[in-house]
Amino acid sequence: MQMTGSQIVIECLKEQGVDTIFGYPGGAILNIYDELYRHQDEIKHVLVSHEQGAAHAADGYARATGKVGVCMATSGPGATNLVTGIATAYMDSVPVVAITCNVGLPLLGKDSFQEIDIAGITTPITKYSFIVKDVNAPRRCGRRRGRWPAPGRHPRGRPCRWPSTSSCAPRDWATRQW
């Protein structure tokens, strides 16, 4: 089945049982927000006033429910605004997943508008931080068993950065049952 990167992100979240996401939309992540809107009956989105609020809300949600907290933000300053909340979750071993988008692949590493190495910034305060450069490898963003954070000592947060070109490119996708 052909799916875009944005559809794959939402399917990964649904496979992991995510029912609530906290976030603040912005230019680079709008493709994922468009797809999230199509699944609003399955995943609730809580719009926050600032990206930092999304990270702290995901942290609080995880603490209160025992589920993984998920937050989303756009590239550059949107992504860096998540850092304090990710660090808080890390220090208290609260399972949080942070999803950000970035500039397109051809612009990565060229100091493009609102480009930031959020994976590099968050490496010291996360269990696993990565950039999705190939949409054909979506399992790295939560499909591989054992990589999705779970409650317990130092599950830590997991920032996942998608270049904007990856979120709209169609790819083959196979639904898996774990």
Side-chain angles (χ1 to χ4, degrees):
M1 164 188 335
Q2 285 272 319
M3 296 179 83
T4 65
S6 298
Q7 292 169 326
I8 292 171
V9 169
I10 299 303
E11 288 303 316
C12 283
L13 292 171
K14 288 176 14 184
E15 283 179 7
Q16 296 300 327
V18 173
D19 59 5
T20 305
I21 296 175
F22 303 89
Y24 190 80
I29 201 165
L30 287 180
N31 290 322
I32 293 176
Y33 268 94
D34 288 343
E35 192 59 34
L36 182 60
Y37 179 77
R38 293 181 188 101
H39 294 270
Q40 61 184 329
D41 56 328
E42 299 163 280
I43 301 176
K44 178 184 177 185
H45 178 262
V46 178
L47 179 65
V48 296
S49 298
H50 189 275
E51 296 89 349
Q52 189 176 35
H56 288 298
D59 176 36
Y61 176 83
R63 291 171 192 257
T65 66
K67 298 178 181 179
V68 174
V70 180
C71 57
M72 294 194 320
T74 194
S75 63
T80 59
N81 285 339
L82 296 175
V83 172
T84 302
I86 293 169
T88 298
Y90 167 74
M91 294 305 294
D92 294 339
S93 299
V94 177
V96 169
V97 172
I99 300 170
T100 65
C101 277
N102 208 339
V103 297
L105 284 174
L107 300 173
L108 280 178
K110 296 182 179 169
D111 293 329
S112 303
F113 177 68
Q114 290 197 341
E115 178 192 6
I116 192 75
D117 181 13
I118 194 66
I121 290 170
T122 58
T123 295
I125 56 169
T126 60
K127 177 179 181 179
Y128 191 61
S129 182
F130 60 94
I131 304 166
V132 177
K133 292 184 179 178
D134 179 9
V135 185
N136 290 316
R139 65 191 177 97
R140 293 186 348 159
C141 198
R143 291 191 92 187
R144 189 178 300 166
R145 200 183 316 203
R147 297 254 183 170
W148 191 257
R153 185 65 188 147
H154 286 305
R156 305 189 213 171
R158 297 190 55 209
C160 173
R161 183 175 81 165
W162 285 75
S164 59
T165 50
S166 297
S167 66
C168 57
R171 298 288 189 253
D172 287 324
W173 175 260
T175 303
R176 291 187 184 168
Q177 297 295 328
W178 294 111

